[in-house]
Amino acid sequence: MSREAGRILIVGSILTMLAIALGAFGAHGLKARVAPDQVAIFETGVRYQFYHGLALLFVGLLMFQLPKVKFREVVWLFSLGILFFSGSLYILATRELTGWSSSIFGPLTPIGGLLFIFGWISLIWKIALLLPNQVKN
């Protein structure tokens, strides 16, 4: 097992586990404390963290199958996307509880969305470049 692939699998597993824990917190802890639209915002952050945590697991498994392909930028784009997109939504959804100003965090959400999109484009590109090589083998 490559060390880097193992780290990616661990990070993906942790992020997915945290998404499940945050989802439970949102469903049981937040509903009584914030408005329904804020719970929906929080749930969107959880959903995208879950999707991209699973995507990191997929990339980690791909690294075992395709050891010569470098997926580092995909991993960074997905990870930073989770931080910016989901993280900003968590903060925005809980601002009534935390008292944090949302003006700083609001612009981070679309940046995180772009990071997700660029991560998927990078993954598609790497796989597409492999296809001609796989046919020759």
Side-chain angles (χ1 to χ4, degrees):
M1 170 183 345
S2 107
R3 184 175 276 188
E4 187 177 19
R7 281 193 297 250
I8 303 311
L9 289 171
I10 290 169
V11 169
S13 297
I14 290 169
L15 288 169
T16 305
M17 176 207 53
L18 287 174
I20 293 167
L22 287 166
F25 170 72
H28 302 289
L30 277 185
K31 282 194 178 180
R33 296 185 174 160
V34 298
D37 62 320
Q38 299 303 311
V39 173
I41 290 170
F42 193 89
E43 289 173 347
T44 300
V46 168
R47 189 170 45 253
Y48 278 82
Q49 179 173 337
F50 188 78
Y51 295 156
H52 290 87
L54 289 178
L56 286 170
L57 290 173
F58 173 72
V59 169
L61 293 174
L62 270 178
M63 292 171 80
F64 286 116
Q65 296 296 317
L66 308 167
K68 293 183 180 181
V69 179
K70 302 298 179 203
F71 290 98
R72 183 169 291 167
E73 64 273 359
V74 176
V75 171
W76 276 104
L77 289 164
F78 284 166
S79 299
L80 289 173
I82 290 170
L83 179 67
F84 285 107
F85 185 85
S86 296
S88 66
L89 290 180
Y90 299 147
I91 291 168
L92 291 169
T94 59
R95 68 180 174 258
E96 293 173 13
L97 300 174
T98 63
W100 290 358
S101 170
S102 63
S103 62
I104 297 169
F105 299 103
L108 296 179
T109 309
I111 293 170
L114 286 173
L115 291 168
F116 285 149
I117 292 167
F118 292 143
W120 286 107
I121 291 170
S122 179
L123 182 60
I124 292 164
W125 183 257
K126 288 181 177 301
I127 292 171
L129 289 176
L130 282 174
L131 293 177
N133 294 334
Q134 295 298 323
V135 173
K136 292 177 188 175
N137 296 332

